[in-house]
Short mmCIF file of all heavy atoms in Angstrom, two decimals:
data_model
loop_
_atom_site.label_atom_id
_atom_site.label_comp_id
_atom_site.label_asym_id
_atom_site.label_seq_id
_atom_site.Cartn_x
_atom_site.Cartn_y
_atom_site.Cartn_z
N THR A 122 14.76 62.82 -50.14
CA THR A 122 13.94 61.99 -49.25
C THR A 122 14.20 62.28 -47.78
O THR A 122 13.44 61.87 -46.92
CB THR A 122 14.19 60.50 -49.51
OG1 THR A 122 15.59 60.25 -49.34
CG2 THR A 122 13.77 60.12 -50.91
N ASN A 123 15.29 62.95 -47.50
CA ASN A 123 15.72 63.15 -46.13
C ASN A 123 16.38 64.52 -46.07
O ASN A 123 17.38 64.74 -46.74
CB ASN A 123 16.72 62.03 -45.80
CG ASN A 123 17.15 62.04 -44.35
OD1 ASN A 123 16.96 63.01 -43.62
ND2 ASN A 123 17.75 60.96 -43.93
N PRO A 124 15.81 65.47 -45.33
CA PRO A 124 16.41 66.81 -45.36
C PRO A 124 17.73 66.85 -44.60
O PRO A 124 17.84 66.28 -43.52
CB PRO A 124 15.36 67.67 -44.65
CG PRO A 124 14.60 66.73 -43.80
CD PRO A 124 14.66 65.38 -44.45
N PRO A 132 20.73 72.69 -33.64
CA PRO A 132 21.79 72.10 -32.81
C PRO A 132 22.25 70.75 -33.37
O PRO A 132 21.44 69.97 -33.85
CB PRO A 132 21.11 71.91 -31.45
CG PRO A 132 19.65 71.90 -31.73
CD PRO A 132 19.43 72.69 -32.99
N GLU A 134 24.90 67.68 -32.00
CA GLU A 134 25.62 67.32 -30.77
C GLU A 134 26.82 66.43 -31.03
O GLU A 134 26.70 65.41 -31.69
CB GLU A 134 24.66 66.60 -29.83
CG GLU A 134 23.44 67.42 -29.50
CD GLU A 134 22.52 66.68 -28.55
OE1 GLU A 134 22.11 65.56 -28.88
OE2 GLU A 134 22.24 67.22 -27.48
N ARG A 136 28.77 65.61 -28.20
CA ARG A 136 29.18 65.09 -26.89
C ARG A 136 29.26 63.57 -26.91
O ARG A 136 28.42 62.88 -27.46
CB ARG A 136 28.22 65.52 -25.78
CG ARG A 136 28.75 65.09 -24.41
CD ARG A 136 27.81 65.41 -23.30
NE ARG A 136 27.68 66.85 -23.09
CZ ARG A 136 26.89 67.36 -22.14
NH1 ARG A 136 26.19 66.57 -21.35
NH2 ARG A 136 26.80 68.66 -22.00
N TYR A 138 30.56 60.09 -24.45
CA TYR A 138 31.00 59.55 -23.16
C TYR A 138 31.82 58.30 -23.40
O TYR A 138 31.38 57.40 -24.12
CB TYR A 138 29.80 59.21 -22.28
CG TYR A 138 29.09 60.42 -21.71
CD1 TYR A 138 28.01 61.00 -22.35
CD2 TYR A 138 29.53 60.99 -20.52
CE1 TYR A 138 27.37 62.11 -21.84
CE2 TYR A 138 28.90 62.11 -19.98
CZ TYR A 138 27.82 62.67 -20.65
OH TYR A 138 27.20 63.77 -20.12
N LYS A 142 29.29 50.86 -20.60
CA LYS A 142 27.90 51.31 -20.56
C LYS A 142 26.94 50.26 -20.00
O LYS A 142 25.91 50.60 -19.44
CB LYS A 142 27.41 51.71 -21.97
CG LYS A 142 28.25 52.75 -22.67
CD LYS A 142 28.15 54.11 -21.99
CE LYS A 142 28.77 55.23 -22.81
NZ LYS A 142 30.18 55.06 -23.13
N LYS A 144 24.40 46.74 -20.60
CA LYS A 144 23.44 46.34 -21.63
C LYS A 144 22.04 46.84 -21.37
O LYS A 144 21.21 46.91 -22.26
CB LYS A 144 23.38 44.80 -21.70
CG LYS A 144 24.47 44.21 -22.56
CD LYS A 144 24.06 42.88 -23.13
CE LYS A 144 23.92 42.96 -24.63
NZ LYS A 144 23.97 41.70 -25.31
N GLN A 145 21.73 47.12 -20.13
CA GLN A 145 20.33 47.38 -19.81
C GLN A 145 20.23 48.30 -18.61
O GLN A 145 20.98 48.16 -17.65
CB GLN A 145 19.66 46.03 -19.48
CG GLN A 145 18.20 46.15 -19.13
CD GLN A 145 17.52 44.80 -18.99
OE1 GLN A 145 18.13 43.76 -19.22
NE2 GLN A 145 16.27 44.80 -18.60
N VAL A 146 19.29 49.23 -18.66
CA VAL A 146 19.10 50.13 -17.53
C VAL A 146 18.21 49.44 -16.51
O VAL A 146 17.32 48.65 -16.86
CB VAL A 146 18.47 51.47 -18.00
CG1 VAL A 146 17.01 51.31 -18.36
CG2 VAL A 146 18.65 52.56 -16.94
N LEU A 148 15.54 50.17 -13.59
CA LEU A 148 14.70 51.23 -13.03
C LEU A 148 13.82 50.64 -11.95
O LEU A 148 13.48 49.47 -11.96
CB LEU A 148 13.82 51.82 -14.14
CG LEU A 148 14.52 52.42 -15.35
CD1 LEU A 148 13.51 52.75 -16.44
CD2 LEU A 148 15.30 53.67 -14.98
N LEU A 157 16.11 55.74 -10.85
CA LEU A 157 17.23 55.11 -11.55
C LEU A 157 18.02 54.24 -10.58
O LEU A 157 18.52 54.72 -9.56
CB LEU A 157 18.13 56.21 -12.13
CG LEU A 157 19.36 55.76 -12.90
CD1 LEU A 157 18.97 55.04 -14.18
CD2 LEU A 157 20.25 56.94 -13.20
N LEU A 161 26.12 53.85 -13.40
CA LEU A 161 27.01 53.58 -14.52
C LEU A 161 28.47 53.63 -14.06
O LEU A 161 28.82 54.39 -13.16
CB LEU A 161 26.76 54.63 -15.60
CG LEU A 161 26.78 54.13 -17.03
CD1 LEU A 161 25.81 52.98 -17.22
CD2 LEU A 161 26.42 55.26 -17.98
N ASP A 366 35.52 46.34 -33.75
CA ASP A 366 34.12 46.73 -33.51
C ASP A 366 33.19 45.56 -33.84
O ASP A 366 32.28 45.24 -33.08
CB ASP A 366 33.79 47.95 -34.38
CG ASP A 366 32.34 48.41 -34.22
OD1 ASP A 366 31.97 48.80 -33.11
OD2 ASP A 366 31.60 48.35 -35.21
N GLU A 367 33.44 44.92 -34.97
CA GLU A 367 32.59 43.80 -35.40
C GLU A 367 32.69 42.63 -34.41
O GLU A 367 31.67 42.05 -34.02
CB GLU A 367 33.05 43.37 -36.80
CG GLU A 367 32.07 42.47 -37.53
CD GLU A 367 30.82 43.20 -37.99
OE1 GLU A 367 30.91 44.40 -38.32
OE2 GLU A 367 29.76 42.57 -38.02
N ARG A 370 30.90 43.32 -31.16
CA ARG A 370 29.45 43.23 -31.35
C ARG A 370 29.01 41.78 -31.45
O ARG A 370 28.01 41.39 -30.84
CB ARG A 370 29.03 43.99 -32.61
CG ARG A 370 29.00 45.49 -32.42
CD ARG A 370 28.80 46.19 -33.75
NE ARG A 370 29.09 47.61 -33.61
CZ ARG A 370 28.19 48.53 -33.28
NH1 ARG A 370 26.95 48.20 -33.03
NH2 ARG A 370 28.54 49.80 -33.18
N ASN A 376 29.27 47.12 -25.74
CA ASN A 376 28.95 48.18 -24.76
C ASN A 376 29.71 48.03 -23.44
O ASN A 376 29.53 48.81 -22.53
CB ASN A 376 27.44 48.28 -24.53
CG ASN A 376 26.79 46.93 -24.50
OD1 ASN A 376 27.47 45.91 -24.32
ND2 ASN A 376 25.49 46.88 -24.68
N MET A 468 24.31 64.47 -43.53
CA MET A 468 23.77 63.10 -43.50
C MET A 468 22.39 63.06 -42.85
O MET A 468 21.79 62.00 -42.76
CB MET A 468 24.70 62.18 -42.71
CG MET A 468 26.06 61.97 -43.31
SD MET A 468 27.02 60.94 -42.18
CE MET A 468 28.65 61.50 -42.50
N GLY A 469 21.95 64.22 -42.31
CA GLY A 469 20.67 64.22 -41.61
C GLY A 469 20.78 63.65 -40.21
O GLY A 469 19.86 63.05 -39.69
N ILE A 470 21.93 63.86 -39.59
CA ILE A 470 22.18 63.33 -38.24
C ILE A 470 22.48 64.50 -37.32
O ILE A 470 23.30 65.36 -37.66
CB ILE A 470 23.36 62.33 -38.27
CG1 ILE A 470 22.93 61.04 -38.95
CG2 ILE A 470 23.90 62.07 -36.88
CD1 ILE A 470 24.05 60.04 -39.15
N ASN A 471 21.81 64.55 -36.15
CA ASN A 471 22.09 65.67 -35.25
C ASN A 471 22.67 65.25 -33.91
O ASN A 471 22.74 66.05 -32.98
CB ASN A 471 20.85 66.56 -35.07
CG ASN A 471 19.68 65.80 -34.48
OD1 ASN A 471 19.84 64.71 -33.93
ND2 ASN A 471 18.50 66.37 -34.58
N ALA A 472 23.09 64.01 -33.79
CA ALA A 472 23.82 63.58 -32.60
C ALA A 472 24.86 62.56 -33.04
O ALA A 472 24.55 61.64 -33.80
CB ALA A 472 22.87 62.96 -31.58
N GLU A 474 26.16 60.10 -31.76
CA GLU A 474 25.98 58.66 -31.50
C GLU A 474 25.24 57.96 -32.64
O GLU A 474 25.33 56.75 -32.76
CB GLU A 474 25.27 58.41 -30.16
CG GLU A 474 23.94 59.09 -29.97
CD GLU A 474 24.04 60.28 -29.02
OE1 GLU A 474 24.90 61.17 -29.25
OE2 GLU A 474 23.25 60.33 -28.05
N SER A 475 24.51 58.73 -33.44
CA SER A 475 23.82 58.11 -34.58
C SER A 475 24.76 57.86 -35.75
O SER A 475 24.37 57.29 -36.76
CB SER A 475 22.66 58.99 -35.04
OG SER A 475 21.70 59.08 -34.04
N ARG A 477 27.92 56.56 -34.91
CA ARG A 477 28.84 55.55 -34.40
C ARG A 477 28.51 54.16 -34.96
O ARG A 477 27.43 53.64 -34.76
CB ARG A 477 28.80 55.52 -32.87
CG ARG A 477 29.97 54.81 -32.25
CD ARG A 477 29.92 54.90 -30.74
NE ARG A 477 29.80 56.29 -30.31
CZ ARG A 477 28.97 56.70 -29.35
NH1 ARG A 477 28.20 55.85 -28.74
NH2 ARG A 477 28.91 57.97 -29.04
N GLY A 478 29.45 53.61 -35.68
CA GLY A 478 29.24 52.27 -36.26
C GLY A 478 28.25 52.27 -37.41
O GLY A 478 27.81 51.22 -37.85
N ASN A 479 27.89 53.45 -37.90
CA ASN A 479 26.89 53.57 -38.96
C ASN A 479 27.59 53.45 -40.32
O ASN A 479 27.80 54.43 -41.03
CB ASN A 479 26.18 54.93 -38.83
CG ASN A 479 24.91 55.00 -39.66
OD1 ASN A 479 24.70 54.21 -40.56
ND2 ASN A 479 24.07 55.98 -39.36
N ARG A 480 27.94 52.22 -40.68
CA ARG A 480 28.71 52.02 -41.90
C ARG A 480 27.87 52.22 -43.15
O ARG A 480 28.40 52.25 -44.27
CB ARG A 480 29.36 50.63 -41.87
CG ARG A 480 30.32 50.51 -40.68
CD ARG A 480 31.11 49.23 -40.69
NE ARG A 480 31.83 49.09 -39.42
CZ ARG A 480 32.53 48.03 -39.08
NH1 ARG A 480 32.62 47.01 -39.92
NH2 ARG A 480 33.14 47.96 -37.91
N GLU A 481 26.56 52.36 -42.96
CA GLU A 481 25.68 52.74 -44.08
C GLU A 481 26.10 54.08 -44.66
O GLU A 481 25.81 54.39 -45.81
CB GLU A 481 24.24 52.90 -43.57
CG GLU A 481 23.53 51.61 -43.28
CD GLU A 481 23.35 50.77 -44.51
OE1 GLU A 481 23.00 51.33 -45.55
OE2 GLU A 481 23.60 49.55 -44.43
N GLN A 482 26.73 54.91 -43.84
CA GLN A 482 27.11 56.25 -44.29
C GLN A 482 28.45 56.25 -45.01
O GLN A 482 28.94 57.29 -45.43
CB GLN A 482 27.15 57.23 -43.11
CG GLN A 482 25.84 57.33 -42.33
CD GLN A 482 24.71 57.95 -43.14
OE1 GLN A 482 24.91 58.47 -44.22
NE2 GLN A 482 23.49 57.87 -42.62
N LYS A 499 29.99 48.93 -48.24
CA LYS A 499 29.65 48.65 -49.63
C LYS A 499 30.51 49.50 -50.55
O LYS A 499 30.98 50.57 -50.15
CB LYS A 499 28.18 49.01 -49.89
CG LYS A 499 27.22 48.11 -49.17
CD LYS A 499 25.81 48.59 -49.42
CE LYS A 499 24.86 47.96 -48.45
NZ LYS A 499 23.71 48.82 -48.18
N ASP B 12 18.87 48.91 -48.81
CA ASP B 12 18.88 48.48 -47.42
C ASP B 12 17.77 49.07 -46.60
O ASP B 12 17.42 48.59 -45.56
CB ASP B 12 20.20 48.90 -46.77
CG ASP B 12 21.04 47.68 -46.52
OD1 ASP B 12 20.66 46.63 -47.04
OD2 ASP B 12 22.04 47.79 -45.81
N THR B 15 13.30 54.69 -48.37
CA THR B 15 13.35 56.15 -48.47
C THR B 15 12.04 56.52 -49.12
O THR B 15 11.70 56.03 -50.18
CB THR B 15 14.52 56.64 -49.33
OG1 THR B 15 14.39 56.06 -50.62
CG2 THR B 15 15.84 56.23 -48.76
N GLU B 216 12.58 58.50 -42.84
CA GLU B 216 13.80 57.78 -43.17
C GLU B 216 14.75 57.94 -42.00
O GLU B 216 14.92 59.04 -41.49
CB GLU B 216 14.41 58.40 -44.43
CG GLU B 216 15.72 57.77 -44.82
CD GLU B 216 16.32 58.39 -46.07
OE1 GLU B 216 15.60 59.06 -46.82
OE2 GLU B 216 17.53 58.21 -46.27
N SER B 218 18.32 58.25 -40.67
CA SER B 218 19.73 58.41 -41.04
C SER B 218 20.60 57.59 -40.10
O SER B 218 21.75 57.33 -40.39
CB SER B 218 20.17 59.86 -40.97
OG SER B 218 19.10 60.74 -40.88
N SER B 219 20.02 57.23 -38.95
CA SER B 219 20.78 56.46 -37.97
C SER B 219 20.62 54.96 -38.18
O SER B 219 21.09 54.18 -37.37
CB SER B 219 20.33 56.83 -36.57
OG SER B 219 18.93 56.64 -36.45
N GLY B 221 21.99 52.54 -39.85
CA GLY B 221 23.16 51.67 -39.74
C GLY B 221 23.54 51.45 -38.28
O GLY B 221 23.88 50.33 -37.87
N THR B 222 23.49 52.50 -37.49
CA THR B 222 23.81 52.41 -36.07
C THR B 222 22.75 51.59 -35.34
O THR B 222 23.07 50.68 -34.58
CB THR B 222 23.88 53.82 -35.45
OG1 THR B 222 24.92 54.54 -36.10
CG2 THR B 222 24.16 53.77 -33.96
N ARG B 225 22.86 47.77 -36.13
CA ARG B 225 23.98 47.03 -35.53
C ARG B 225 23.85 46.99 -34.02
O ARG B 225 24.28 46.04 -33.38
CB ARG B 225 25.31 47.65 -35.97
CG ARG B 225 25.52 47.52 -37.47
CD ARG B 225 26.86 48.06 -37.92
NE ARG B 225 27.95 47.19 -37.59
CZ ARG B 225 29.12 47.61 -37.12
NH1 ARG B 225 29.34 48.89 -36.92
NH2 ARG B 225 30.09 46.76 -36.86
N PHE B 226 23.27 48.02 -33.43
CA PHE B 226 23.04 48.01 -31.97
C PHE B 226 22.04 46.92 -31.62
O PHE B 226 22.26 46.13 -30.71
CB PHE B 226 22.52 49.39 -31.54
CG PHE B 226 22.33 49.53 -30.05
CD1 PHE B 226 23.38 49.92 -29.24
CD2 PHE B 226 21.10 49.28 -29.46
CE1 PHE B 226 23.21 50.06 -27.86
CE2 PHE B 226 20.92 49.40 -28.09
CZ PHE B 226 21.99 49.80 -27.28
N THR B 229 23.17 43.28 -31.49
CA THR B 229 23.86 42.76 -30.30
C THR B 229 22.85 42.27 -29.26
O THR B 229 23.22 41.65 -28.28
CB THR B 229 24.79 43.82 -29.65
OG1 THR B 229 23.99 44.87 -29.11
CG2 THR B 229 25.77 44.39 -30.64
N TYR B 230 21.57 42.57 -29.46
CA TYR B 230 20.52 42.07 -28.56
C TYR B 230 19.74 40.94 -29.23
O TYR B 230 18.64 40.59 -28.81
CB TYR B 230 19.57 43.20 -28.17
CG TYR B 230 20.20 44.22 -27.25
CD1 TYR B 230 20.91 45.29 -27.78
CD2 TYR B 230 20.11 44.10 -25.86
CE1 TYR B 230 21.51 46.23 -26.95
CE2 TYR B 230 20.71 45.04 -25.03
CZ TYR B 230 21.41 46.09 -25.58
OH TYR B 230 22.00 47.02 -24.75
N HIS B 254 13.07 45.14 -21.63
CA HIS B 254 13.73 45.90 -20.56
C HIS B 254 12.74 46.62 -19.64
O HIS B 254 13.14 47.29 -18.71
CB HIS B 254 14.74 46.88 -21.15
CG HIS B 254 15.95 46.20 -21.72
ND1 HIS B 254 17.02 46.88 -22.23
CD2 HIS B 254 16.24 44.88 -21.88
CE1 HIS B 254 17.94 46.00 -22.68
NE2 HIS B 254 17.46 44.79 -22.47
N ILE B 256 10.92 49.23 -19.72
CA ILE B 256 11.07 50.68 -19.51
C ILE B 256 9.70 51.33 -19.70
O ILE B 256 9.02 51.06 -20.70
CB ILE B 256 12.11 51.24 -20.48
CG1 ILE B 256 13.49 50.67 -20.10
CG2 ILE B 256 12.13 52.76 -20.47
CD1 ILE B 256 14.57 50.94 -21.09
N PRO B 257 9.28 52.16 -18.75
CA PRO B 257 7.97 52.78 -18.88
C PRO B 257 7.85 53.55 -20.20
O PRO B 257 8.80 54.20 -20.62
CB PRO B 257 7.89 53.74 -17.69
CG PRO B 257 8.96 53.35 -16.77
CD PRO B 257 9.99 52.59 -17.54
N LEU B 260 9.17 56.98 -20.91
CA LEU B 260 10.62 57.20 -20.99
C LEU B 260 11.20 56.81 -22.36
O LEU B 260 12.32 57.15 -22.68
CB LEU B 260 11.35 56.41 -19.90
CG LEU B 260 11.31 57.01 -18.49
CD1 LEU B 260 12.10 56.14 -17.53
CD2 LEU B 260 11.84 58.43 -18.48
N PHE B 269 18.09 67.51 -26.15
CA PHE B 269 19.49 67.82 -26.41
C PHE B 269 20.24 67.94 -25.09
O PHE B 269 19.66 68.23 -24.04
CB PHE B 269 19.59 69.12 -27.22
CG PHE B 269 19.16 68.90 -28.65
CD1 PHE B 269 17.83 69.01 -29.03
CD2 PHE B 269 20.10 68.57 -29.62
CE1 PHE B 269 17.45 68.78 -30.34
CE2 PHE B 269 19.72 68.34 -30.92
CZ PHE B 269 18.40 68.45 -31.29
N TRP B 270 21.56 67.72 -25.16
CA TRP B 270 22.38 67.73 -23.93
C TRP B 270 22.23 69.05 -23.18
O TRP B 270 22.20 69.07 -21.96
CB TRP B 270 23.86 67.49 -24.27
CG TRP B 270 24.17 66.07 -24.63
CD1 TRP B 270 24.66 65.63 -25.82
CD2 TRP B 270 24.04 64.89 -23.80
NE1 TRP B 270 24.83 64.25 -25.78
CE2 TRP B 270 24.46 63.79 -24.56
CE3 TRP B 270 23.62 64.68 -22.49
CZ2 TRP B 270 24.47 62.47 -24.06
CZ3 TRP B 270 23.62 63.38 -21.99
CH2 TRP B 270 24.04 62.30 -22.77
N ASP B 274 21.33 69.07 -19.36
CA ASP B 274 22.26 69.65 -18.38
C ASP B 274 21.56 70.62 -17.42
O ASP B 274 22.02 70.83 -16.30
CB ASP B 274 23.40 70.39 -19.10
CG ASP B 274 24.34 69.42 -19.80
OD1 ASP B 274 24.26 68.21 -19.53
OD2 ASP B 274 25.17 69.88 -20.62
N GLN B 282 20.30 62.90 -14.21
CA GLN B 282 21.05 61.65 -14.12
C GLN B 282 20.32 60.52 -14.87
O GLN B 282 20.94 59.74 -15.59
CB GLN B 282 21.19 61.27 -12.65
CG GLN B 282 22.47 60.56 -12.38
CD GLN B 282 22.71 60.44 -10.89
OE1 GLN B 282 21.99 61.01 -10.07
NE2 GLN B 282 23.72 59.68 -10.53
N LEU B 283 19.01 60.49 -14.73
CA LEU B 283 18.22 59.46 -15.41
C LEU B 283 18.36 59.58 -16.92
O LEU B 283 18.68 58.62 -17.62
CB LEU B 283 16.75 59.58 -14.98
CG LEU B 283 15.76 58.68 -15.72
CD1 LEU B 283 16.03 57.22 -15.43
CD2 LEU B 283 14.32 59.02 -15.33
N THR B 286 21.91 58.81 -18.20
CA THR B 286 22.19 57.37 -18.20
C THR B 286 21.46 56.67 -19.35
O THR B 286 22.04 55.82 -20.02
CB THR B 286 21.77 56.75 -16.84
OG1 THR B 286 22.38 57.51 -15.80
CG2 THR B 286 22.22 55.31 -16.74
N ARG B 288 20.59 57.94 -22.20
CA ARG B 288 21.25 58.27 -23.48
C ARG B 288 22.59 57.55 -23.60
O ARG B 288 23.01 57.20 -24.70
CB ARG B 288 21.50 59.78 -23.60
CG ARG B 288 20.39 60.50 -24.34
CD ARG B 288 20.78 61.92 -24.73
NE ARG B 288 21.51 61.95 -26.00
CZ ARG B 288 21.77 63.07 -26.67
NH1 ARG B 288 21.37 64.24 -26.19
NH2 ARG B 288 22.41 63.04 -27.80
N GLN B 289 23.26 57.34 -22.45
CA GLN B 289 24.56 56.67 -22.51
C GLN B 289 24.40 55.19 -22.86
O GLN B 289 25.06 54.67 -23.75
CB GLN B 289 25.29 56.81 -21.17
CG GLN B 289 25.83 58.22 -20.94
CD GLN B 289 26.32 58.44 -19.52
OE1 GLN B 289 25.77 57.88 -18.58
NE2 GLN B 289 27.33 59.26 -19.37
N ILE B 290 23.47 54.53 -22.17
CA ILE B 290 23.32 53.09 -22.39
C ILE B 290 22.71 52.80 -23.75
O ILE B 290 23.15 51.91 -24.46
CB ILE B 290 22.45 52.46 -21.28
CG1 ILE B 290 23.16 52.59 -19.93
CG2 ILE B 290 22.16 50.99 -21.58
CD1 ILE B 290 22.38 52.04 -18.75
N TYR B 291 21.70 53.57 -24.11
CA TYR B 291 20.97 53.27 -25.35
C TYR B 291 21.32 54.23 -26.48
O TYR B 291 20.46 54.55 -27.31
CB TYR B 291 19.47 53.27 -25.07
CG TYR B 291 19.04 52.23 -24.07
CD1 TYR B 291 18.69 52.57 -22.77
CD2 TYR B 291 19.02 50.88 -24.43
CE1 TYR B 291 18.31 51.60 -21.84
CE2 TYR B 291 18.63 49.91 -23.51
CZ TYR B 291 18.28 50.28 -22.22
OH TYR B 291 17.91 49.31 -21.32
N SER B 292 22.56 54.71 -26.50
CA SER B 292 22.95 55.68 -27.53
C SER B 292 22.69 55.12 -28.94
O SER B 292 22.34 55.86 -29.85
CB SER B 292 24.42 56.05 -27.38
OG SER B 292 25.22 54.90 -27.55
N LEU B 295 19.16 55.95 -30.50
CA LEU B 295 18.69 57.28 -30.85
C LEU B 295 18.32 57.24 -32.34
O LEU B 295 19.09 56.77 -33.16
CB LEU B 295 19.80 58.31 -30.60
CG LEU B 295 19.39 59.77 -30.67
CD1 LEU B 295 20.26 60.61 -29.74
CD2 LEU B 295 19.45 60.35 -32.06
N ASN B 297 17.64 59.07 -35.63
CA ASN B 297 17.92 60.33 -36.27
C ASN B 297 17.34 60.35 -37.67
O ASN B 297 17.19 59.32 -38.29
CB ASN B 297 19.44 60.52 -36.33
CG ASN B 297 19.87 61.79 -35.64
OD1 ASN B 297 19.44 62.87 -36.04
ND2 ASN B 297 20.68 61.66 -34.62
N GLY B 298 17.06 61.55 -38.13
CA GLY B 298 16.48 61.67 -39.46
C GLY B 298 15.00 62.00 -39.31
O GLY B 298 14.44 61.99 -38.22
N PRO B 299 14.37 62.33 -40.44
CA PRO B 299 12.98 62.78 -40.37
C PRO B 299 12.02 61.61 -40.24
O PRO B 299 12.08 60.66 -41.01
CB PRO B 299 12.79 63.44 -41.74
CG PRO B 299 13.73 62.69 -42.64
CD PRO B 299 14.88 62.25 -41.81
N ARG B 316 13.34 64.24 -33.41
CA ARG B 316 13.83 65.26 -32.47
C ARG B 316 13.57 66.69 -32.91
O ARG B 316 13.36 67.58 -32.09
CB ARG B 316 15.34 65.13 -32.28
CG ARG B 316 15.80 63.85 -31.68
CD ARG B 316 17.31 63.86 -31.60
NE ARG B 316 17.77 64.32 -30.30
CZ ARG B 316 19.01 64.71 -30.04
NH1 ARG B 316 19.89 64.75 -30.99
NH2 ARG B 316 19.36 65.09 -28.83
N ILE B 317 13.67 66.94 -34.22
CA ILE B 317 13.52 68.34 -34.65
C ILE B 317 12.32 68.52 -35.56
O ILE B 317 12.22 69.47 -36.32
CB ILE B 317 14.82 68.87 -35.32
CG1 ILE B 317 15.28 67.95 -36.44
CG2 ILE B 317 15.92 69.03 -34.30
CD1 ILE B 317 16.47 68.50 -37.22
N ARG B 320 8.83 65.73 -39.79
CA ARG B 320 7.63 65.15 -40.41
C ARG B 320 6.45 65.43 -39.47
O ARG B 320 6.62 65.51 -38.26
CB ARG B 320 7.79 63.64 -40.62
CG ARG B 320 8.85 63.25 -41.65
CD ARG B 320 8.37 63.40 -43.08
NE ARG B 320 9.47 63.49 -44.03
CZ ARG B 320 10.02 62.48 -44.67
NH1 ARG B 320 9.56 61.26 -44.50
NH2 ARG B 320 11.02 62.66 -45.51
#
Side-chain angles (χ1 to χ4, degrees):
Chain A
T122 57
N123 186 344
E134 303 181 304
R136 186 184 292 180
Y138 287 93
K142 304 292 191 301
K144 276 206 114 160
Q145 180 172 357
V146 73
L148 302 171
L157 180 66
L161 220 55
D366 178 63
E367 195 71 32
R370 283 170 194 271
N376 39 19
M468 295 177 210
I470 287 175
N471 60 16
E474 56 254 53
S475 295
R477 196 176 307 136
N479 195 343
R480 299 187 189 175
E481 286 296 317
Q482 303 293 350
K499 292 177 195 151
Chain B
D12 251 11
T15 58
E216 177 180 342
S218 346
S219 55
T222 298
R225 296 183 75 221
F226 183 87
T229 67
Y230 290 86
H254 289 184
I256 293 170
L260 282 182
F269 287 87
W270 285 118
D274 290 347
Q282 213 169 351
L283 174 65
T286 308
R288 266 193 86 169
Q289 287 169 327
I290 296 178
Y291 299 106
S292 62
L295 191 150
N297 238 300
R316 297 179 94 196
I317 53 175
R320 294 281 160 93

